[in-house]
Amino acid sequence: MGHIRIPLWSHGPEGVPQAAPEEARPTPESRALPNSLTAEGPPVTVSTDGGSARTDNAPEVRRAHLPHPHPRASLPHHSRAAAEWERSQRRAALVRRLLRTLAASAFACLLLPLGTGPSSAAAAVPADPTGMTSGFYTDPNAAPAVWAAANPGDGRAAAIRDSIASRPMARWFGAWSGDIGAAVGSYVGAADAADKLPVLIAYNIPGRDACGGHSGGGAGTPAAYHSWISAFASAIGSRPALVVIEPDSLGDFSCLSQAQIDERNGMLRGALAQFRDRAPNTWTYLDAGNPAWIGAATMAQHLDGAGVREAHGFSLNISNYFTTGENTAYGNAISSALASSYGYTKPYVIDTSRNGNGSDGAWCNPGGRRIGAVSQMGGGGGGGGGGAEMLLWLKTPGESDGNCGVGGGSVAGQFLPEVAYKMIFGY
């Protein structure tokens, strides 16, 4: 979160990820706060490291209402084909929803005769949320989308809408989300209705951002966190989702006492158990920092201590700028360390939202950065050990890392249109 085979999603008219060429430390300050949202949409070409990644979203096909007893007979051949394609996609979506319902029912039924608890049932019915949906979900209410819609006359609006707001991104959840069950349920429900796969980030652990401070906070006590993360998982239920659990939480150990580390590991293991028991079709990922933060062997130790064996995998480069190649080498090294020291491996995902120009060594709103490869299955291969399971936009391009760099005067998570606009072009 060994590597597993993931089925590619079929091409379709709405935000389906397309194959794209491959391309210090994401400190807690660089985390998304209340303004972190997500988005999805029209075709845009994004150049990364000299290459390009394009997602082609065909326009929605709407049926014409014709005063003919057999309207389809009067439609041009290509229109009839398009209408038939649309119907086939709707049928496929219905089939996927039916399979989700059956999987959830099977999961519940297994609990009764086996009598061995939900862990055994979950293991008996492994979830694959990517195969239950038709692509990544993009929220039309993402911060970049809301800004572009509210400022149509701004010369930057079209580029921000087409190159950022139209892309699938993660949504972050924390204390600012209010009723966490309602917030998560609404977001996942909208994705489910669109037959898309949502990516969520849980960011509310006590002592959050222990080494930084710009994004400090979190639930007041371990008990409060347990209640919060339990409601989070319950709100997803049997619907498919990807969840990254607590960015930076395993990189902050140098700022924690051993007692605090043990307490944090207990909370992370408890969080994984909640998703295992309450969200059987969710893939969970613990965060493993970035290539310049902690050595691979040490990070493998941290991951194992936090229970990554129970997770689907781990995440890399959240809110940072290191290239996909650098993260791939680091992810492969962590997986190798897990194998040699603990007897198992895990897949990983990479945040490519802002790594198009790589890192210049700064983490807080450095200038000259660029958006990276769009969310997609696979990516970053070429080195020994394979590549990432997915490339994802886990940070929203244009959201501030804090009062620093080109974001001077802002707060972490605030959407800055000028920063977003320049990040599209890499200057």
Side-chain angles (χ1 to χ4, degrees):
M1 338 220 10
H3 293 283
I4 60 175
R5 294 176 62 86
I6 306 292
L8 294 177
W9 288 313
S10 61
H11 293 269
E14 300 180 9
V16 179
Q18 306 292 312
E22 167 186 341
E23 5 189 350
R25 155 185 177 188
T27 71
E29 296 92 310
S30 61
R31 299 299 158 243
L33 286 177
N35 294 324
S36 301
L37 300 175
T38 54
E40 168 177 23
V44 180
T45 300
V46 180
S47 175
T48 58
D49 296 331
S52 65
R54 183 180 179 90
T55 299
D56 295 314
N57 302 326
E60 179 183 2
V61 178
R62 299 186 181 278
R63 301 184 185 183
H65 296 283
L66 304 177
H68 189 283
H70 301 288
R72 283 185 60 203
S74 63
L75 292 174
H77 175 72
H78 69 275
S79 297
R80 293 199 302 272
E84 181 58 35
W85 184 90
E86 179 187 10
R87 285 192 292 273
S88 71
Q89 293 302 299
R90 289 177 177 172
R91 287 194 295 268
L94 289 173
V95 169
R96 281 190 291 269
R97 290 189 184 185
L98 176 60
L99 289 175
R100 290 203 291 271
T101 301
L102 292 175
S105 299
F107 176 82
C109 291
L110 280 171
L111 299 183
L112 298 176
L114 291 178
T116 54
S119 298
S120 299
V125 187
D128 180 359
T130 67
M132 301 166 72
T133 49
S134 62
F136 296 110
Y137 178 61
T138 305
D139 184 358
N141 296 313
V146 171
W147 181 88
N151 298 275
D154 191 297
R156 302 165 296 184
I160 290 174
R161 181 190 64 240
D162 295 343
S163 296
I164 295 177
S166 66
R167 299 306 190 184
M169 293 174 279
R171 176 182 282 192
W172 295 58
F173 294 85
W176 61 85
S177 303
D179 182 332
I180 191 61
V184 170
S186 175
Y187 184 67
V188 175
D192 189 53
D195 193 37
K196 300 297 180 182
L197 181 62
V199 182
L200 304 86
I201 297 181
Y203 195 49
N204 197 38
I205 201 163
R208 186 183 66 205
D209 194 1
C211 291
H214 287 263
S215 299
T221 65
Y225 183 70
H226 175 82
S227 296
W228 186 85
I229 203 69
S230 176
F232 192 124
S234 295
I236 296 175
S238 62
R239 293 173 294 198
L242 305 179
V243 176
V244 177
I245 299 174
E246 304 300 338
D248 290 346
S249 59
L250 298 180
D252 278 343
F253 282 8
S254 63
C255 299
L256 301 175
S257 67
Q258 187 58 52
Q260 290 173 319
I261 291 172
D262 293 342
E263 182 178 69
R264 176 165 291 187
N265 281 341
M267 286 186 282
L268 292 172
R269 288 193 298 268
L272 290 170
Q274 291 300 313
F275 285 100
R276 178 198 66 205
D277 296 348
R278 299 173 184 271
N281 295 319
T282 292
W283 277 353
T284 52
Y285 300 81
L286 291 181
D287 185 50
N290 67 69
W293 195 351
I294 294 174
T298 300
M299 181 51 72
Q301 181 183 26
H302 291 184
L303 285 166
D304 185 71
V308 77
R309 191 186 295 265
E310 280 284 351
H312 179 73
F314 57 92
S315 59
L316 299 173
N317 204 49
I318 292 183
S319 298
N320 220 294
Y321 305 89
F322 292 95
T323 66
T324 301
E326 290 171 314
N327 279 284
T328 298
Y330 184 54
N332 290 343
I334 291 174
S335 195
S336 295
L338 286 172
S340 61
S341 297
Y342 306 103
Y344 64 91
T345 62
K346 289 290 176 177
Y348 57 89
V349 298
I350 299 172
D351 182 1
T352 56
S353 59
R354 309 189 297 178
N355 76 345
N357 280 349
S359 172
D360 66 355
W363 62 264
C364 197
N365 294 323
R369 299 311 93 199
R370 192 173 193 170
I371 56 177
V374 297
S375 296
Q376 60 188 268
M377 300 301 300
E389 179 179 56
M390 295 176 236
L391 305 181
L392 300 171
W393 280 20
L394 298 176
K395 171 79 171 182
T396 299
E399 283 191 350
S400 174
D401 295 322
N403 182 14
C404 53
V406 296
S410 67
V411 297
Q414 180 181 346
F415 181 71
L416 306 175
E418 183 66 11
V419 172
Y421 182 76
K422 288 181 177 179
M423 196 169 285
I424 295 170
F425 303 102
Y427 61 83

